[in-house]
């Protein structure tokens, strides 16, 4: 008999091999024998069949793990990361962020670059180049956000934003983000970072800044467009007080409760107040952490939503301060967001008279934590401008049902003022669900921001549900009204009801 295993041993090996070829419907993708939560025939049908493979297989596996996690994976808790700031006041999820308003936050750990499917798939190669990507801390991520609404308006929902087209499903945001966070928790060496964000969709109409591809909106009045919403480089220097961040480029303006990116908002829509303030600044911003409670900021930029090379730009100052209570239950974040001549920028563009808004304003937010599950955020601002135009920055393109177009607007001589107050109050009732009440009052004395003078209010309630870390759905219903003049649906209605929902998928 030749050397080798006994017939009995060969039979055992054959049985083992036969068993290993059978699908294990109770095992997790990572080989765990723990049964899956919510395992069903469909999950078994789409389950990855092998543990190795190329990038597309690993990307598919990352999404599969999100939608069909094992009980073991579901119960895992991430360890607390070191930080030099006060603890995060609430949990994220369910809330979009666990931090009080502040941008950038020094002493707070950077997000895990490998927490979402695309980077998981890159890291999963377990090769020399994937290790180099990990070591670089450079990450690529993004999301797609789409919404549908049912409205009592026929033409548009303006001045409600972002769901401006009524009774339709639209692509709001397709976002690609390449970035590197500097490590601001450590205090022994200088570090650096950058962010490049490309946004395509209907929401570009609000993020667009003059000179940043603005012909799409200001010349052609396109419903959909592309915007490089953030393009900046920053350096962190740890040696003075709590550390210094120096940022150069285009960044999201401070310090609103709401933000331009769908994933960072408590609801799918935005307030009337948010519709007409600064979206981005381009320039230089310095952020200085004094200690874990106090941060001060100062900036020089080229004007509200204008690039330095844009015809309407001018040198503009800005400054802010952030305070967090020692008990971590309250925070105030206040800015003089723009200070310059405050004159509307009238000029010739595309061979015709046009212009760009150039308001000055002060804005502050106060946030209070009742508990980790209940929070309230209040924002107020006062805005002023001289010799403005009805409705703000004009666009030259054709007049469209969804708004915009038609060229230069009606001149408003002298001083124009607007001011308002906004509140979000949110209640988390599971680790994946919260609901939000949003109420606001806003006054535009001349129509230079809203297109019609008057007192405006909105009252909205919304629910957010996270199926997992990559998919969120947010239904909501709200009533929006100008109590003084018809201001909705192209000036034909005093108010509108809007019900809708949005869906966001990360990658």
């Amino acid at each position: 008999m030749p050397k080798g295993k006994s017939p009995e041993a060969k039979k055992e090996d054959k049985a083992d091999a036969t068993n290993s070829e059978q699908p294990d419907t109770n095992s997790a993708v990572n080989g765990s024998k723990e049964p899956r939560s919510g395992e069903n025939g469909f999950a078994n049908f789409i389950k990855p069949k092998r543990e190795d493979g190329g990038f597309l297989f690993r990307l598919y596996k990352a999404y599969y793990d999100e939608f069909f996690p094992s009980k073991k994976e579901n119960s895992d808790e991430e360890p607390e990361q070191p930080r030099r700031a006060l603890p995060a006041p609430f949990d994220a999820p369910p809330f979009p962020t666990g931090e009080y308003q502040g941008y950038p936050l020094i002493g707070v750990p950077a997000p895990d670059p490998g927490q979402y499917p695309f980077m998981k798939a890159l890291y999963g190669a377990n090769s020399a180049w994937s290790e180099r990507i990990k070591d670089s801390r450079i990450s690529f991520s993004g999301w797609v956000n789409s919404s549908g609404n049912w409205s009592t308006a026929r033409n548009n929902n303006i001045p409600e934003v972002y769901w401006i087209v009524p009774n339709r499903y639209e692509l709001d945001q397709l976002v690609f983000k390449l970035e590197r966070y500097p490590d601001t928790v450590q205090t022994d060496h200088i570090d650096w970072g950058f962010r490049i964000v490309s946004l395509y969709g209907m929401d570009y109409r609000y993020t667009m800044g003059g000179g940043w591809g603005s012909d799409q909106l200001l010349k052609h009045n396109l419903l959909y467009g592309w915007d490089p919403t953030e393009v900046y480089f920053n350096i962190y220097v740890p040696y003075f007080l709590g550390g210094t961040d120096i940022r150069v480029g285009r960044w999201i303006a401070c310090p609103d409760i709401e933000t331009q990116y769908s994933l960072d908002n408590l609801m799918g829509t935005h307030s009337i107040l948010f519709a007409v303030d600064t979206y981005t600044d381009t320039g230089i911003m310095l952020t200085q952490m004094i200690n874990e409670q106090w941060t001060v900021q100062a900036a020089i930029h080229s004007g509200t939503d204008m690039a330095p090379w844009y015809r309407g730009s001018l040198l503009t100052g800005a400054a802010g301060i952030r305070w967090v209570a020692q008990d971590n239950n309250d925070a105030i974040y206040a800015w003089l967001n723009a200070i310059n001549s405050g004159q509307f920028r009238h000029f010739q563009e595309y061979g015709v008279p046009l212009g760009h808004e150039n308001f000055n304003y002060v804005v502050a937010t106060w946030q209070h934590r009742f508990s980790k599950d209940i929070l309230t955020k209040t924002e107020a601002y006062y805005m002023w401008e001289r010799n403005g135009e009805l409705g703000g920055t004009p666009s030259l393109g054709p007049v469209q049902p969804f708004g915009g177009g038609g060229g230069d607007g009606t001149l408003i001589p002298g001083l124009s003022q607007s001011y308002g107050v906004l509140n979000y109050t949110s209640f988390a009732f599971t680790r994946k669900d919260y609901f939000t009440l949003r109420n606001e009052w806003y006054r535009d004395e001349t129509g230079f921001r809203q297109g019609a003078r008057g007192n405006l209010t909105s009252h909205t309630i919304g629910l957010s549900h996270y199926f997992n870390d990559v998919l969120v759905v947010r239904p909501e219903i709200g009533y929006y009204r100008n109590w003084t003049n018809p201001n909705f649906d192209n000036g034909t209605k005093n108010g509108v009801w809007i019900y809708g929902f949005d869906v966001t998928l990360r990658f």
Side-chain angles (χ1 to χ4, degrees), residues 272-317:
I272 294 171
L273 182 143
F274 179 77
V276 292
D277 67 3
T278 304
Y279 275 61
T280 63
D281 293 320
T282 305
I284 302 172
M285 179 168 69
L286 184 146
T287 301
Q288 177 64 56
M289 181 180 180
I290 306 299
N291 53 42
E292 62 181 13
Q293 289 184 261
W294 292 92
T295 299
V296 294
Q297 296 175 279
I300 296 174
H301 58 82
S302 51
T304 290
D305 297 313
M306 290 185 280
W309 52 86
Y310 183 64
R311 186 183 296 271
S313 68
L314 76 168
L315 189 65
T316 302

Side-chain angles (χ1 to χ4, degrees), residues 212-288:
W212 289 101
S214 53
D215 285 5
Q216 301 168 91
L217 177 62
L218 302 184
K219 185 177 182 180
H220 303 294
N221 194 26
L222 302 177
L223 178 60
Y224 283 86
W226 167 82
D227 178 45
T229 310
E230 289 187 279
V231 183
Y232 66 75
F233 177 83
N234 60 316
I235 295 176
Y236 160 70
V237 182
Y239 307 121
F240 181 64
L241 298 176
T244 310
D245 182 273
I246 303 169
R247 178 163 302 186
V248 180
R250 185 188 189 199
W251 63 82
I252 296 292
C254 308
D256 298 324
I257 293 173
E258 299 163 291
T259 182
Q260 288 72 355
Y261 301 135
S262 63
L263 282 171
D264 298 332
N265 282 301
L266 288 163
M267 306 178 77
T269 59
H270 293 68
S271 65
I272 294 171
L273 182 143
F274 179 77
V276 292
D277 67 3
T278 304
Y279 275 61
T280 63
D281 293 320
T282 305
I284 302 172
M285 179 168 69
L286 184 146
T287 301
Q288 177 64 56

